[in-house]
Amino acid sequence: MKDIIRHHSYSISFIVVLLGVVFLYDRGDREVYQLNGFTMGTSYQFQIANFPDGLDEDDLANDIGELLEDLDRGTFSTYAQDSELSKFNQHSLNTPFPASAKLIEVLLLAQQISSLSDGAFDITVGPLVNLWGFGPVIKMEDSSPAQNEIDEALGRVNFRSLLIDASKSEISKSQDIYVDLSAIAKGYAVDEVASHFDDIGIDNYFLEIGGELKIKGLKSGGESWVPAIETPMDSESQIYQIFFNRGDSIAVAGSGDYRNYFEEEGIRYSHEIDPRNGRPISHTLAASYVIDDSVARADALATTFMVLGLDQSIELAERLGQAVYFIYKDENGDANGFSAYVSDKFDQYLTNEE
Ligand code: ADP
Ligand code: MG
């Protein structure tokens, strides 16, 4: 008998959680305004402190709804067959495809992260994601695929087969690739919402889509926002570490192996796939958090680190001078068997004092 448990969680890695109480006390206060909804297969929550006078709440909600719809179903979705990305995925080989500025921007950033990680991050990983049952192609059963199927899918995975001509706003592919932006699009959407808020004079916010965050300014009482990192376990949510933006504008993204996975014969198969061997990641790094200016970049890097594993990730984070927080399984760790690696740049946010 196979012991198979599938863990479906739509909020793909809801690993940065809000301290709910912080906001409950502010209810009824017009100065904290909340927008909630669903996009990109997950939920979003946008908190605004000191809501600007003269801004209409309904107009704002409509504008944000439209912006997200355009980014999701209109542009990046692989679930919607008529999104821009789906059309490119169906487009013929070696033929230019006119792409929007948004799609080009995300693809260029993704290619950059692929280069600096030597292919650990690869948006052409789609065929493998589907093969392992984590994409839009529904699998009838949860089981690991055969090696020949993995090899076949691997043959279609190569970020270098995606060609971007930014000057002509055109993209093309030299091989039958399938692009999956799940590890970067949510972050990009948070960036877009943030820049819309910046444009219309909203200066104090806590934005979150599926665990990817952009935080700016302060709460209405003038205190720091307090994001929290969850203990990387699939049981009920438990806070592992809180930190503080202290008024800074920061992007935070996280990635973990404990929310979206299936188990077969005691082995956990997670939705982060190593494009170099075609298999779900399997190592001691349980969750990675990244602080950056761009949520899209933080999002992509968080996944990259999960694929690289602890040692290579520490090396890369040091090379990039990146603010990172890694939680890894450790025999000598805490009661749950975890220890953390915190880079200096991240460390400064662990205290609320300047
Ligand atoms: P979440 O979606 O919970 O934020 P991630 O940001 O780590 O989690 O994204 C995981 C998703 O990214 C997977 O579901 C898959 O679609 C895609 N993915 C998996 N492995 C890779 C990889 N090596 N490079 C790029 N994208 C990947
Ligand atoms: Mg992510």
Side-chain angles (χ1 to χ4, degrees):
M1 265 276 294
K2 280 185 173 176
D3 169 26
I4 296 173
I5 310 159
R6 177 163 278 268
H7 211 87
H8 276 301
S9 110
Y10 269 108
S11 62
I12 303 167
S13 69
F14 209 85
I15 35 200
V16 180
V17 290
L18 280 171
L19 291 177
V21 285
V22 173
F23 297 102
L24 289 178
Y25 290 119
D26 285 334
R27 279 266 163 81
D29 180 351
R30 183 181 148 82
E31 289 184 357
V32 170
Y33 173 76
Q34 243 195 71
L35 262 176
N36 295 295
F38 291 91
T39 188
M40 299 185 167
T42 186
S43 62
Y44 66 81
Q45 183 174 53
F46 304 145
Q47 312 263 352
I48 300 168
N50 300 320
F51 196 89
D53 288 335
L55 202 62
D56 187 88
E57 294 176 8
D58 294 335
D59 286 351
L60 180 70
N62 280 335
D63 290 350
I64 292 300
E66 270 173 34
L67 189 148
L68 292 174
E69 182 74 2
D70 173 50
L71 292 173
D72 183 13
R73 296 192 62 85
T75 312
F76 299 124
S77 177
T78 45
Y79 290 76
Q81 286 311 301
D82 56 351
S83 74
E84 187 182 1
L85 181 61
S86 287
K87 285 183 188 150
F88 175 64
N89 278 335
Q90 294 150 26
H91 194 68
S92 40
L93 300 189
N94 300 312
T95 323
F97 176 92
S100 66
K102 287 181 180 14
L103 185 57
I104 297 221
E105 190 184 345
V106 171
L107 293 176
L108 283 173
L109 174 61
Q111 297 290 68
Q112 231 180 54
I113 307 289
S114 293
S115 301
L116 65 84
S117 68
D118 231 348
F121 183 82
D122 191 328
I123 52 170
T124 68
V125 76
L128 287 163
V129 174
N130 286 337
L131 183 65
W132 285 92
F134 294 110
V137 177
I138 293 167
K139 277 184 64 169
M140 295 315 286
E141 55 178 315
D142 288 330
S143 59
S144 38
Q147 188 59 45
N148 66 321
E149 294 177 293
I150 295 174
D151 291 341
E152 200 185 317
L154 261 178
R156 291 179 58 202
V157 175
N158 186 353
F159 68 94
R160 293 185 182 83
S161 304
L162 168 69
L163 308 163
I164 306 168
D165 188 338
S167 64
K168 288 193 185 147
S169 301
E170 281 175 0
I171 54 178
S172 62
K173 50 187 161 182
S174 60
Q175 204 197 347
D176 180 25
I177 52 169
Y178 171 94
V179 175
D180 170 2
L181 296 174
S182 306
I184 191 168
K186 285 193 300 259
Y188 184 80
V190 180
D191 284 325
E192 288 288 286
V193 173
S195 93
H196 180 68
F197 282 6
D198 293 343
D199 287 348
I200 59 175
I202 297 178
D203 296 324
N204 299 281
Y205 53 70
F206 188 118
L207 313 179
E208 182 257 340
I209 303 181
E212 325 298 7
L213 310 176
K214 179 86 191 233
I215 311 171
K216 185 180 175 184
L218 299 164
K219 293 195 292 179
S220 17
E223 286 150 41
S224 173
W225 298 100
V226 189
I229 289 173
E230 226 180 33
T231 304
M233 297 191 302
D234 61 0
S235 48
E236 82 288 6
S237 174
Q238 220 184 78
I239 290 168
Y240 188 82
Q241 173 80 61
I242 58 171
F243 56 105
F244 307 90
N245 76 308
R246 303 183 311 196
D248 289 1
S249 169
I250 58 170
V252 192
S255 211
D257 71 354
Y258 62 99
R259 281 282 188 223
N260 197 343
Y261 64 87
F262 71 89
E263 268 177 26
E264 186 184 39
E265 291 171 349
I267 299 174
R268 182 179 287 195
Y269 295 95
S270 150
H271 73 144
E272 278 100 15
I273 313 265
D274 190 334
R276 298 162 302 182
N277 63 13
R279 297 181 166 274
I281 52 160
S282 158
H283 43 56
T284 58
L285 186 57
S288 73
Y289 291 85
V290 176
I291 295 183
D292 198 83
D293 294 331
S294 144
V295 196
R297 186 167 184 277
D299 196 4
L301 282 174
T303 302
T304 305
F305 291 132
M306 284 311 296
V307 174
L308 288 176
L310 184 64
D311 295 343
Q312 286 184 45
S313 290
I314 292 176
E315 232 171 81
L316 178 61
E318 280 179 357
R319 182 151 58 87
L320 299 174
Q322 194 73 42
V324 295
Y325 194 108
F326 298 144
I327 305 177
Y328 58 96
K329 293 163 207 133
D330 180 9
E331 282 175 359
N332 306 314
D334 63 13
N336 293 314
F338 293 117
S339 288
Y341 167 88
V342 191
S343 74
D344 290 346
K345 262 204 180 153
F346 200 112
D347 193 62
Q348 61 176 310
Y349 294 105
L350 299 186
T351 142
N352 200 7
E353 277 126 48
E354 291 294 334

